[in-house]
Amino acid sequence: MQPYRIAKTLLIATLLLAAPLAHARGTIQKVEITGLDKGDDAAILENIEVSLSLYDVIDKVQGESRLEYLLSQAERQTRQALEPFGYYNPTITVEAPRDGDNLKVVIQVDKGAQIKVRQDEVVITGPASRDRYLQEDLDAFQPKSGQPFDSVNYEASKVAITRRLAERGYFDADFTQRKVEVTRAENAADIFLSWDSGRRYNMGPITFEEDYFRPGLFDPLVYWEEGSYWHEGKLDRLRESLTKLDYFSVIDIQPHPGQADENGDVPVNVKLTKAKRTIYTAGVSYGTESGAGVRGGVERRYVNRRGHKLNTQLDYAQRRKSLITSYRVPGFRWLDGWYTYAVSAYDEQTDYIDLRNVKLIASRSGEINEHWTAIVSMNALRERWGYSSGTTFDKPVYQYSTLVYPQLTGDYVNVDDESFPRSGISGNATVRGGIEGAGSDTSFVQADVTLRWYIPVGDADRLILRGQAGTTWTSDLVSMPPSLRYFAGGDRSIRGYAYREVGPRTPPPDKYALGAKNLVVGSAEYEHYFSGGPWGAAVFVDTGSAFDNTIDLHTGVGFGVRWKSPVGPVRIDIARGLNSPDSAFQLYLNIGADL
């Protein structure tokens, strides 16, 4: 035993013998760790607190021999808690002054110098040595020579490479060397880590286990060729595609490397459990414009063995009513998506407008890639509308419009979290147009785009920038029905103004919204979350206008409450318009992510 350890042992023994014999028991009231920064060393402090047995007996009476044991272990436990962070030569002092039978334990920590990596030998042998993705992981391995040794980063890098080997089909991969040598006297660590990858396996045959759908229905979802290199991401995309079908309550995808053939083709079994076939929905609604109402719907997740879907939704309110029925057919062979045939009917009778329309839609949707989704459709619209000059429709003068037009819509989502994005961009763009004499009463082209940019601020806050622009090219705006005109104002447009308040309106005293050819809206919103928790507050400014020829910007400002609820973000806003609004304040409530 080294001399300093002998002296230390004798000193502890002397102190224990010198303790008053009257202390046969005691209670630890508090444990205090000093010498560490609560900010920079927060992770180290937490690890020490988890490692110390002293914390388990605070405010619990202990026998004298038990107290002596706990105090004797405190220095060793603290030292071990520092090692994962690269501190192998700390100076630790443990003091336990008494006040009667009560003790306050003070552990003084001087971390000392953090050891550094002197040598790092991290290699992969076998076929994976030529795999560029694994080479990128090796290049990114932390810590490197000359850097402080941190076992947390070391373990994370090691696990990342091990997982990558499995993801890319190196199922026989194993460590050939796994060692870290620490030389305390030289504050140095040497890393020796190597894998032998073994062969790379291939994507084998896919077997779908289910007892209802037509054989081969899901085969087009397997977009890769049998015998191609294995990649876990292919199965992830298959799982995502099956989930979006909404046919199944359980999707279990299991590869079987142990059953691979001589070519290395790994069979994959996909076990599917059908979800409930029919979904019924019902609820009540209320809106300042629509009045009180009820909602209901029925959805058949799968109508037949070909996987067709049927969905009907009814919204019946005092002043607004809508009914839409859609029939969807899987379309997997070109893009992962659907052929949809729908019919909708809409009836709106408010204080100033009597509007009814019927619309037929035939569309094809598809996922172009992980960020882009596109929908191309053909639409046939028949609309009737009339405006009031007072509060009743005694002798309404109706206008009619028939339009047949194609439409292309693209949706883009590239955010870190779709339920609550803090970083990224999302948006959508739509182009539609019709030709007079080809089923339409007028020729027109219409295009609009919406963009949202999420910018993280600090650990929990975010800045949301939103922009929207739209325009219509037509020589006969009168023939454009209200459902295809632009309006501004409301919670998803310019807060501080009522729904459809901003834009061309009838003369006073009615001032009813007519809709416009063009639209421009911009918004900036800052959200702060208290202590990073679910509750937060927001301030915002919106500006924009719906206009025909000359833009007339209207600006609104306000604040709101935010709650990250289990069912999605909840937003309550109070806003005031700065340009002669109809009402002094507007109140808005929204639930769910706004992408």
Side-chain angles (χ1 to χ4, degrees):
M1 182 179 294
Q2 298 179 6
Y4 80 91
R5 292 189 178 275
I6 296 175
K8 181 178 178 180
T9 303
L10 292 175
L11 177 60
I12 293 174
T14 302
L15 291 173
L16 293 175
L17 290 172
L21 295 177
H23 292 300
R25 57 197 297 162
T27 303
I28 296 175
Q29 298 290 322
K30 183 179 181 180
V31 178
E32 184 177 341
I33 302 170
T34 62
L36 297 176
D37 186 273
K38 292 184 179 180
D40 296 339
D41 298 325
I44 297 177
L45 278 166
E46 182 180 359
N47 200 42
I48 293 174
E49 292 171 354
V50 170
S51 302
L52 284 172
S53 303
L54 293 171
Y55 281 97
D56 297 333
V57 298
I58 289 179
D59 292 332
K60 298 178 182 178
V61 178
Q62 304 293 315
E64 192 67 23
S65 59
R66 177 62 177 169
L67 284 173
E68 293 171 2
Y69 173 77
L70 292 171
L71 292 171
S72 68
Q73 293 295 305
E75 190 270 344
R76 178 185 63 82
Q77 292 170 347
T78 303
R79 184 180 299 275
Q80 290 178 344
L82 288 165
E83 290 181 356
F85 302 92
Y87 297 100
Y88 280 77
N89 291 302
T91 300
I92 301 170
T93 303
V94 180
E95 297 179 349
R98 281 181 177 267
D99 182 8
D101 288 338
N102 297 325
L103 292 82
K104 175 185 176 182
V105 180
V106 179
I107 303 175
Q108 174 67 34
V109 178
D110 180 355
K111 297 181 296 184
Q114 191 175 21
I115 67 170
K116 293 187 176 181
V117 178
R118 178 172 55 190
Q119 180 181 4
D120 63 302
E121 294 184 5
V122 184
V123 297
I124 296 176
T125 60
S129 63
R130 300 181 295 276
D131 190 314
R132 72 182 182 91
Y133 294 100
L134 282 158
Q135 287 304 312
E136 289 174 0
D137 288 339
L138 288 177
D139 293 339
F141 192 93
Q142 298 286 339
K144 296 184 180 298
S145 179
Q147 295 179 341
F149 178 78
D150 185 332
S151 65
V152 175
N153 288 337
Y154 167 79
E155 290 294 336
S157 296
K158 184 175 67 175
V159 168
I161 292 178
T162 301
R163 286 178 177 172
R164 181 82 75 177
L165 285 164
E167 288 172 359
R168 296 187 62 77
Y170 300 99
F171 295 118
D172 298 332
D174 200 0
F175 291 101
T176 55
Q177 189 172 212
R178 182 172 43 178
K179 180 170 60 175
V180 177
E181 294 181 351
V182 175
T183 306
R184 296 175 185 268
E186 300 178 16
N187 274 335
D190 300 311
I191 299 174
F192 302 99
L193 189 61
S194 61
W195 291 264
D196 179 30
S197 69
R199 70 179 299 178
R200 185 176 186 183
Y201 287 82
N202 305 318
M203 304 298 297
I206 305 289
T207 303
F208 293 96
E209 280 190 27
E210 52 83 24
D211 57 3
Y212 177 77
F213 295 97
R214 186 183 64 181
L217 178 64
F218 306 117
D219 290 349
L221 296 177
V222 182
Y223 64 92
W224 61 87
E225 293 184 4
E226 186 174 325
S228 61
Y229 278 132
W230 181 275
H231 195 290
E232 193 73 26
K234 297 176 180 178
L235 298 184
D236 291 340
R237 179 172 169 180
L238 175 61
R239 179 181 289 104
E240 182 179 349
S241 296
L242 290 169
T243 299
K244 289 180 178 179
L245 293 177
D246 200 29
Y247 296 154
F248 310 108
S249 59
V250 178
I251 300 171
D252 185 18
I253 302 178
Q254 293 292 336
H256 298 283
Q259 300 176 17
D261 60 20
E262 63 276 6
N263 296 321
D265 294 349
V266 176
V268 178
N269 180 259
V270 183
K271 187 175 182 179
L272 305 170
T273 303
K274 294 196 304 294
K276 185 179 179 180
R277 186 173 192 174
T278 305
I279 303 296
Y280 299 95
T281 58
V284 296
S285 64
Y286 179 80
T288 55
E289 292 286 331
S290 61
V294 294
R295 293 174 177 173
V298 57
E299 178 185 3
R300 294 282 279 182
R301 281 173 162 160
Y302 40 93
V303 175
N304 50 37
R305 298 178 68 243
R306 292 180 172 83
H308 296 185
K309 287 176 172 286
L310 179 63
N311 189 8
T312 298
Q313 298 292 327
L314 172 66
D315 192 339
Y316 194 95
Q318 288 174 298
R319 292 183 289 275
R320 285 185 185 149
K321 304 166 183 63
S322 65
L323 173 68
I324 182 168
T325 297
S326 63
Y327 192 87
R328 293 197 292 166
V329 178
F332 303 143
R333 295 195 178 278
W334 175 48
L335 289 175
D336 190 356
W338 300 87
Y339 294 97
T340 303
Y341 309 94
V343 56
S344 69
Y346 180 78
D347 184 314
E348 178 177 346
Q349 298 186 32
T350 63
D351 291 340
Y352 72 95
I353 192 172
D354 181 351
L355 182 151
R356 294 178 181 177
N357 66 39
V358 176
K359 189 176 184 180
L360 303 177
I361 307 167
S363 68
R364 171 68 163 98
S365 63
E367 293 185 9
I368 299 174
N369 54 42
E370 61 178 327
H371 301 307
W372 278 102
T373 300
I375 303 175
V376 59
S377 64
M378 180 59 70
N379 304 264
L381 173 68
R382 175 65 172 174
E383 188 157 316
R384 186 202 74 176
W385 71 97
Y387 292 102
S388 166
S389 59
T391 59
T392 62
F393 286 91
D394 294 332
K395 295 180 180 180
V397 177
Y398 290 112
Q399 294 175 272
Y400 295 84
S401 181
T402 300
L403 298 176
V404 176
Y405 57 91
Q407 176 174 300
L408 175 63
T409 300
D411 292 309
Y412 179 82
V413 177
N414 185 8
V415 296
D416 56 348
D417 182 354
E418 292 192 8
S419 62
F420 184 79
R422 291 192 66 240
S423 177
I425 296 174
S426 70
N428 59 76
T430 300
V431 178
R432 63 176 71 92
I435 301 175
E436 184 178 0
S440 296
D441 292 341
T442 185
S443 297
F444 75 98
V445 175
Q446 197 170 62
D448 56 73
V449 61
T450 301
L451 185 66
R452 298 175 185 86
W453 184 14
Y454 302 91
I455 304 172
V457 180
D459 294 331
D461 298 355
R462 65 178 182 173
L463 175 65
I464 306 173
L465 303 179
R466 172 173 55 89
Q468 183 180 6
T471 188
T472 306
W473 293 275
T474 181
S475 59
D476 186 12
L477 182 62
V478 176
S479 295
M480 293 294 292
S483 62
L484 289 181
R485 298 183 190 181
Y486 290 114
F487 298 86
D491 60 330
R492 296 182 180 271
S493 180
I494 309 171
R495 287 166 288 188
Y497 301 89
Y499 178 63
R500 294 181 174 180
E501 180 180 338
V502 180
R505 305 170 78 177
T506 61
D510 302 324
K511 299 177 66 175
Y512 295 139
L514 295 172
K517 293 171 62 176
N518 307 298
L519 175 70
V520 173
V521 174
S523 172
E525 177 176 319
Y526 183 82
E527 294 183 350
H528 170 70
Y529 287 85
F530 306 109
S531 302
W535 288 98
V539 292
F540 55 84
V541 55
D542 300 343
T543 189
S545 180
F547 60 99
D548 289 331
N549 299 308
T550 303
I551 190 170
D552 180 19
L553 291 177
H554 285 58
T555 301
V557 297
F559 63 92
V561 176
R562 301 291 182 265
W563 177 38
K564 291 187 281 189
S565 77
V567 298
V570 176
R571 303 181 296 279
I572 302 175
D573 291 328
I574 298 176
R576 176 176 175 80
L578 303 182
N579 303 91
S580 303
D582 290 348
S583 301
F585 292 95
Q586 293 286 334
L587 176 66
Y588 309 100
L589 170 64
N590 278 289
I591 301 176
D594 186 11
L595 288 176

